[in-house]
Amino acid sequence: MTSVTQRISLVKQPRGGFLPVKLFSEEKLSDGKELFSQENVSPNLVGLCVDYLSRFMIGSDKEQAFEISLLGASLAGVEALAQEFLSKIIGLDDSSIANACKLVGFDVIYRAGISFYKPVEEIDPDEQTIANIRIMVERSLAFFSDYGPVVKDGFDLKGAYTNLITIGDGDFLTADTLWDFKVSKTKPNKDHTLQLLIYYLMGTRSIHPEFSSIEYLGLYNPRQNVVYRLAISDIPKETIELVEREVIGY
């Protein structure tokens, strides 16, 4: 299996990337809150936690929001443990967030293989980490109240896979924008923008009709509380054709 992100890691992009970050508009949102500088859970797991809790809090079923984590746990034969964590996720209280952090520890089994798995019992977020996750989920909910509503979340790309990309799942679709969440301390990079473009180009060929109304690509970073957006009509036609041919394999 080759995922979208794995495929991107193998591709040599031109200087600045196929889709330079500078093409995107940038809007800083403000909630007057500051995050703690230290967290005791890996940035990757914090990002997944913020992503999945946001999906749950905007109305997705818990099982759907944490689907990848549950699939990972199933592959490892620890469904009961995963369900125990899931049952304790009810909102944005400390216990819910702590159990979400443990549950997303199973994600790596599905995405990268069991050899990358570290025991989730070792994941024990401290007060600062929990507080940061809560603020970032609340920012995400505020973001969706401005830019939403969400029409689809946690979507696959069925019907669009190729010999080069055989698996992939995107974050959110609103009425006119494909959104990807990046919970990072740095600005988006060329890999992030290429990932968005691939999701869009594959999405339009997938089984999901919602892609037919997508006019923008967007990145939202709840850690920095910044929105990046680009009209698809502003992407050069030759860039689209090149990515379709050389990166995706159409």
Side-chain angles (χ1 to χ4, degrees):
M1 292 196 302
T2 305
S3 69
V4 173
T5 49
Q6 286 169 331
R7 177 62 187 147
I8 289 170
S9 71
L10 300 172
V11 171
K12 183 166 172 32
Q13 295 197 50
R15 186 182 175 89
F18 285 111
L19 199 58
V21 179
K22 65 183 180 185
L23 295 178
F24 286 69
S25 67
E26 185 176 330
E27 182 189 0
K28 180 89 169 92
L29 307 181
S30 177
D31 62 355
K33 293 178 180 174
E34 290 288 325
L35 297 180
F36 290 104
S37 59
Q38 298 295 318
E39 295 167 357
N40 73 334
V41 173
S42 76
N44 183 45
L45 291 183
V46 168
L48 289 171
C49 202
V50 171
D51 184 352
Y52 296 172
L53 277 173
S54 297
R55 295 182 196 188
F56 171 50
M57 294 301 292
I58 60 171
S60 280
D61 290 339
K62 262 194 299 194
E63 287 76 8
Q64 186 184 350
F66 289 89
E67 181 182 18
I68 305 290
S69 306
L70 295 173
L71 287 169
S74 178
L75 289 171
V78 287
E79 297 100 325
L81 181 59
Q83 286 295 334
E84 184 184 333
F85 295 145
L86 188 71
S87 70
K88 294 174 181 172
I89 301 171
I90 56 173
L92 293 180
D93 58 284
D94 288 6
S95 174
S96 292
I97 292 172
N99 280 283
C101 282
K102 292 179 184 294
L103 183 54
V104 298
F106 295 123
D107 251 57
V108 69
I109 301 169
Y110 179 80
R111 294 180 187 276
I114 192 97
S115 61
F116 292 90
Y117 171 68
K118 294 185 175 66
V120 295
E121 293 83 357
E122 296 174 11
I123 301 168
D124 188 22
D126 59 19
E127 284 183 22
Q128 294 186 343
T129 305
I130 288 172
N132 279 4
I133 290 170
R134 182 181 296 113
I135 289 170
M136 288 190 278
V137 174
E138 288 170 345
R139 284 176 175 175
S140 301
L141 302 182
F143 160 77
F144 281 125
S145 75
D146 287 342
Y147 285 88
V150 173
V151 297
K152 197 164 198 63
D153 68 83
F155 54 86
D156 58 26
L157 298 163
K158 281 197 185 94
Y161 296 118
T162 67
N163 290 335
L164 297 178
I165 298 175
T166 58
I167 187 172
D169 60 285
D171 287 351
F172 299 94
L173 296 179
T174 53
D176 64 357
T177 307
L178 163 62
W179 294 101
D180 200 44
F181 269 35
K182 294 297 177 198
V183 184
S184 70
K185 293 180 178 177
T186 56
K187 288 186 71 155
N189 61 39
K190 63 183 189 297
D191 289 353
H192 298 152
T193 58
L194 178 57
Q195 183 180 9
L196 255 187
L197 181 56
I198 291 171
Y199 283 153
Y200 170 70
L201 295 174
M202 295 184 75
T204 56
R205 290 172 165 80
S206 74
I207 61 172
H208 306 300
E210 294 88 350
F211 275 92
S212 62
S213 63
I214 297 300
E215 297 175 16
Y216 298 89
L217 303 181
L219 290 158
Y220 174 59
N221 184 334
R223 187 178 287 285
Q224 298 184 331
N225 213 9
V226 178
V227 179
Y228 301 89
R229 209 155 174 244
L230 173 66
I232 291 161
S233 59
D234 289 338
I235 302 172
K237 189 163 176 279
E238 53 269 28
T239 297
I240 288 176
E241 290 172 351
L242 191 61
V243 171
E244 284 180 333
R245 186 177 67 248
E246 302 294 333
V247 182
I248 306 175
Y250 288 135

